[in-house]
Amino acid sequence: MTDVADRILTSTANGVMTIRMNRPDKKNALTGDMYSRLSAGLDEANSNDDINAILILGSPGSFSSGNDIADFMQIAMSGERENMSVFGFLERIIQAPKPIVAGVDGLAIGVGTTMLMHCDYVVASDASLFKTPFVDLGLVPEAGSSLIGPEITGYHKAFSLLVMGEGFSAQDAKDAGFVTKISSSQDLEATARQAAEELASKPQQALKLSRDLLRGDRSDVLARMREEAVLFGQRVESEEAKQAFMSFMQKGVKKASYTHPTPKPECFGVI
Ligand code: COA
């Protein structure tokens, strides 16, 4: 089991802050504490003038299995919605002032997929699976994905991903527009790191102006994220959701079918 303090690892080199989700025993399911640490990493990257780009990684075979369902259950039973630090993380990633590259190998479930819609450059291995089973869990889409999802992919692909909960392969995700490049699992981190370092070495003022032009005003995405958050908080406490969480925790849930097709490397590299 990974130590709580080690579940989010950060390191800096060549103008890039790497933020790694590191809870492989739970397929990088994200707890409240992990969201707080992700937020702290983003804050540090944004306030440090030596950092020009952010690289988000997971573990071999698991980018993230989404929000920790035991955490959801705990919130559902206690009613302590204000403790959902996921929303602080999402606000930061939506408004991120510096470019974010993500490297995805394997599972990208729930917020593991929706956070990618706010990244600037996403490299996915050909062994990746993107899936957002919000409705099956009695929930609604989050991270502003109900607005930005249809904008990126078109309505019908967004519906199949965000409402039907269909699994997308790396190629599907690239065709849908939220993956930039596909690599092998072995090359994934090097490819993603290369992109982040390339961004970090560009003329920074020109990069910032250009990125801001492309991303435009994010206030509508932020407003939608907050609207979704109200519904999401209510849904977490609904009977539909409680039953789905219980079913998962009792191992009765119909899971995303996923087998990583390639032997997992021991470790991808730095942190
Ligand atoms: N929350 C809490 N625990 C999770 C988790 C999650 N989101 N995803 C995986 N885990 C845990 C499992 O309970 C299991 O724990 P255990 O070893 O103590 O029994 C461990 O991680 C390994 O997962 P397992 O289900 O055995 O692996 P798998 O390869 O067969 O399936 C998934 C992986 C991700 C497809 C499956 O675990 C799953 O569907 N998880 C739920 C994903 C989800 O709905 N996330 C919320 C989206 S809003």
Side-chain angles (χ1 to χ4, degrees):
M1 196 194 298
T2 325
D3 245 30
V4 175
D6 293 334
R7 286 180 186 171
I8 299 295
L9 301 173
T10 58
S11 67
T12 305
N14 303 326
V16 175
M17 173 180 274
T18 302
I19 304 180
R20 185 186 294 280
M21 298 173 283
N22 181 45
R23 194 190 178 200
D25 51 315
K26 297 287 181 186
K27 310 270 168 177
N28 286 337
L30 293 166
T31 59
D33 183 64
M34 290 167 77
Y35 287 120
S36 299
R37 284 167 197 267
L38 285 169
S39 293
L42 291 175
D43 287 347
E44 190 187 332
N46 294 333
S47 62
N48 184 338
D49 291 341
D50 294 334
I51 296 172
N52 294 332
I54 296 159
L55 173 61
I56 301 183
L57 300 172
S59 313
S62 303
F63 181 68
S64 172
S65 61
N67 203 101
D68 187 290
I69 290 181
D71 256 28
F72 271 159
M73 193 60 171
Q74 202 271 328
I75 291 164
M77 300 317 282
S78 67
E80 289 169 359
R81 282 187 227 157
E82 65 277 10
N83 291 343
M84 293 182 77
S85 48
V86 57
F87 298 120
F89 165 66
L90 294 177
E91 293 210 0
R92 283 171 176 81
I93 205 164
I94 288 169
Q95 302 180 100
K98 295 183 182 177
I100 303 181
V101 176
V104 179
D105 180 55
L107 295 161
I109 313 289
V111 70
T113 285
T114 54
M115 74 165 88
L116 303 173
M117 294 179 180
H118 304 289
C119 295
D120 300 282
Y121 198 98
V122 178
V123 184
S125 81
D126 50 15
S128 298
L129 172 72
F130 303 84
K131 191 171 165 76
T132 62
F134 298 123
V135 173
D136 293 328
L137 288 170
L139 303 172
V140 293
E142 34 67 322
S145 61
S146 65
L147 181 68
I148 201 169
E151 279 175 12
I152 294 172
T153 72
Y155 176 80
H156 291 95
K157 281 184 182 168
F159 189 89
S160 109
L161 180 73
L162 298 168
V163 180
M164 290 291 283
E166 288 178 355
F168 278 34
S169 67
Q171 190 61 53
D172 294 336
K174 186 165 183 281
D175 293 344
F178 61 91
V179 159
T180 317
K181 191 178 255 189
I182 300 176
S183 83
S184 66
S185 287
Q186 278 73 11
D187 293 341
L188 173 83
E189 293 208 357
T191 309
R193 189 171 298 284
Q194 190 182 12
E197 289 185 359
E198 195 179 320
L199 281 166
S201 67
K202 285 191 187 293
Q204 288 301 302
Q205 287 175 16
L207 173 62
K208 178 170 172 31
L209 289 167
S210 305
R211 180 175 180 266
D212 288 351
L213 281 168
L214 262 72
R215 282 170 79 88
D217 180 9
R218 306 298 275 182
S219 54
D220 53 347
V221 185
L222 201 59
R224 176 63 65 89
M225 189 282 275
R226 289 179 179 147
E227 197 183 325
E228 293 165 349
V230 173
L231 286 172
F232 199 94
Q234 292 166 358
R235 294 306 307 168
V236 164
E237 291 178 30
S238 69
E239 278 313 309
E240 287 178 342
K242 281 184 199 164
Q243 278 184 20
F245 303 156
M246 193 70 80
S247 176
F248 173 76
M249 286 160 60
Q250 293 169 349
K251 307 289 174 197
V253 79
K254 187 176 139 225
K255 294 199 298 192
S257 103
Y258 176 75
T259 312
H260 196 283
T262 50
K264 294 178 191 172
E266 282 292 297
C267 177
F268 278 132
V270 185
I271 60 168

